[in-house]
Amino acid sequence: MPDGATVTFDVYECLAEHPTKGDYTMLICPGIANSSESLYIRTMVDYAQNNGFRVSVLNHLGALKDVPLTAPRIYTYGGTEEYEMMVHYVRETYPDSKLVGVGCSMGANILTKYLGMDKKNQDFFICAMSLCQGYDVNSCVYQNQATDIYSQDMSSKYLYQRVWPYLLKWEHLRRFYIFMMTLNQIRVMKQHADVLFSEKALKKYDLDLDKIYASTSLHYLDEVYSRRRAGFDNLEEYYKWSSSASYLPKIDIPMLILNAHDDVIVPDVVFDIPLNHAYTHDKSLFVVTKHGGHLGFFEGQEKNWIMPQSVTWLDKIVLDYSNAVINVTEYDH
């Protein structure tokens, strides 16, 4: 990449012919600190391969410990450059393939932002899927503030209230999940500490390594590292830049937006954002399930309900929606 960073992604060829005999490539952007080696990604890839899809999976910068960083930065919540690089490669390598975008959690935010940044980015995608993203980070962090989301594509402005620090609550073990996610990100950073935290980098970005390693929440880690490395003066500006909320209204291709009410990370207060999008974009579908957690959606086995099936409901809905769009847009005249 222009700054010397090296993007990696894995391409898996289909293991069966698609029922329509068409050529389709699924481009997956995983969640925070995840890669093609993450278990939920591997099951999704395998299921898609065996149902006639080629699959390409982005490995977030730093997520693979055996792939060294070649520039002093890792992935960011709102960074779309790596996903864009993967899209360009797939388009050049498989020019006749129709693209399906799939984003998981942080990856869904990145996918949504990428598609909405420039309408030309949507040209080669027949559909996209946003799975369990949070849309606007500020809505999950700051209290008693409000934000206008405005787009020329929408008939009016939408106002939604921000809530007090949701991600730091202990209810439903939410604080524990955030703590574990923070530790996972710090683990990634420690694996590449020689590149990320050189003496030059620490001085240039005003970084305190002790504070970074002592972080117990993503919010604090973003304050002592992420927003400084990205060049923002405060967290609110960094989160506004990162979030996909203002880009979502600019997406016109068919889109499935999925969240669960019992998601321990994403609050339902932000569901107004995709709901408003679905009301004003007739090619979009916003689905909220009662259960599913954060990228869980496990189903029990028929004879042993205690043990979950290896293929989740999430894997199935990704394939079902993709095939439904293919049938409607390409074969229903």
Side-chain angles (χ1 to χ4, degrees):
M1 300 187 71
D3 66 348
T6 302
V7 180
T8 68
F9 44 88
D10 290 275
V11 179
Y12 304 87
E13 293 295 340
C14 54
L15 299 176
E17 187 176 59
H18 192 271
T20 65
K21 303 187 184 303
D23 187 317
Y24 305 101
T25 303
M26 192 173 289
L27 295 147
I28 299 178
C29 193
I32 187 169
N34 293 160
S35 68
S36 59
E37 295 183 358
S38 301
L39 184 58
Y40 74 99
I41 296 295
R42 289 162 58 188
T43 59
M44 187 178 293
V45 168
D46 182 70
Y47 191 62
Q49 281 183 286
N50 282 285
N51 283 274
F53 286 83
R54 180 187 299 106
V55 186
S56 184
V57 182
L58 179 67
N59 298 313
H60 290 301
L61 290 179
L64 296 175
K65 64 180 180 180
D66 57 342
V67 177
L69 293 178
T70 57
R73 68 179 179 91
I74 59 171
Y75 56 85
T76 60
Y77 188 74
T80 61
E81 300 89 350
E82 292 86 46
Y83 190 81
E84 181 178 18
M85 190 73 75
M86 180 174 71
V87 172
H88 286 171
Y89 174 86
V90 170
R91 284 178 52 191
E92 290 178 359
T93 309
Y94 311 98
D96 297 326
S97 187
K98 306 291 179 60
L99 306 184
V100 173
V102 180
C104 304
S105 189
M106 180 189 79
N109 182 82
I110 291 173
L111 171 65
T112 302
K113 185 177 177 182
Y114 168 73
L115 293 174
M117 286 175 65
D118 189 337
K119 291 217 171 184
K120 292 180 180 178
N121 293 343
Q122 303 171 38
D123 288 349
F124 297 91
F125 284 83
I126 59 173
C127 67
M129 280 161 274
S130 163
L131 311 175
C132 300
Q133 71 156 303
Y135 312 100
D136 179 25
V137 186
N138 279 319
S139 294
C140 302
V141 176
Y142 297 111
Q143 182 184 14
N144 297 328
Q145 296 182 18
T147 300
D148 283 331
I149 298 180
Y150 178 75
S151 168
Q152 292 179 350
D153 298 331
M154 304 176 73
S155 58
S156 63
K157 294 184 178 182
Y158 291 107
L159 190 68
Y160 59 93
Q161 294 295 321
R162 288 176 175 164
V163 295
W164 73 286
Y166 173 90
L167 294 181
L168 300 182
K169 292 182 179 179
W170 279 102
E171 61 179 287
H172 308 306
L173 296 179
R174 185 171 298 116
R175 185 68 178 82
F176 173 75
Y177 279 94
I178 297 300
F179 174 67
M180 296 306 296
M181 291 175 67
T182 306
L183 291 186
N184 194 30
Q185 185 155 346
I186 292 174
R187 173 190 59 79
V188 170
M189 298 168 78
K190 285 183 175 180
Q191 289 172 175
H192 306 281
D194 57 330
V195 178
L196 292 175
F197 305 128
S198 65
E199 195 171 316
K200 180 180 179 181
L202 292 175
K203 185 177 181 180
K204 180 178 181 180
Y205 301 109
D206 189 25
L207 303 177
D208 187 321
L209 201 53
D210 291 334
K211 290 182 178 180
I212 292 172
Y213 287 162
S215 300
T216 59
S217 72
L218 293 175
H219 180 66
Y220 184 78
L221 183 59
D222 287 338
E223 168 58 33
V224 297
Y225 176 73
S226 304
R227 67 94 176 164
R228 298 169 187 266
R229 180 61 183 80
F232 288 88
D233 293 331
N234 57 68
L235 270 182
E236 188 168 5
E237 289 180 4
Y238 172 65
Y239 286 155
K240 183 178 181 180
W241 168 83
S242 298
S243 300
S244 67
S246 61
Y247 298 94
L248 180 61
K250 302 172 185 177
I251 299 177
D252 294 322
I253 62 173
M255 189 169 189
L256 170 66
I257 307 171
L258 175 67
N259 286 101
H261 266 302
D262 63 351
D263 192 321
V264 296
I265 297 173
V266 179
D268 57 11
V269 70
V270 299
F271 289 179
D272 280 352
I273 299 172
L275 183 61
N276 288 329
H277 178 71
Y279 273 132
T280 54
H281 294 71
D282 58 6
K283 294 181 182 177
S284 288
L285 179 65
F286 178 46
V287 177
V288 181
T289 61
K290 185 176 182 180
H291 300 294
H294 191 70
L295 297 174
F297 300 97
F298 294 107
E299 293 180 309
Q301 298 180 13
E302 186 174 344
K303 295 183 179 180
N304 184 0
W305 59 268
I306 297 178
M307 296 297 294
Q309 299 178 28
S310 58
V311 175
T312 69
W313 181 82
L314 189 64
D315 302 325
K316 297 174 184 177
I317 204 66
V318 166
L319 261 294
D320 287 348
Y321 181 76
S322 299
N323 285 328
V325 172
I326 289 170
N327 289 331
V328 169
T329 59
E330 299 198 30
Y331 296 97
D332 183 4
H333 300 293

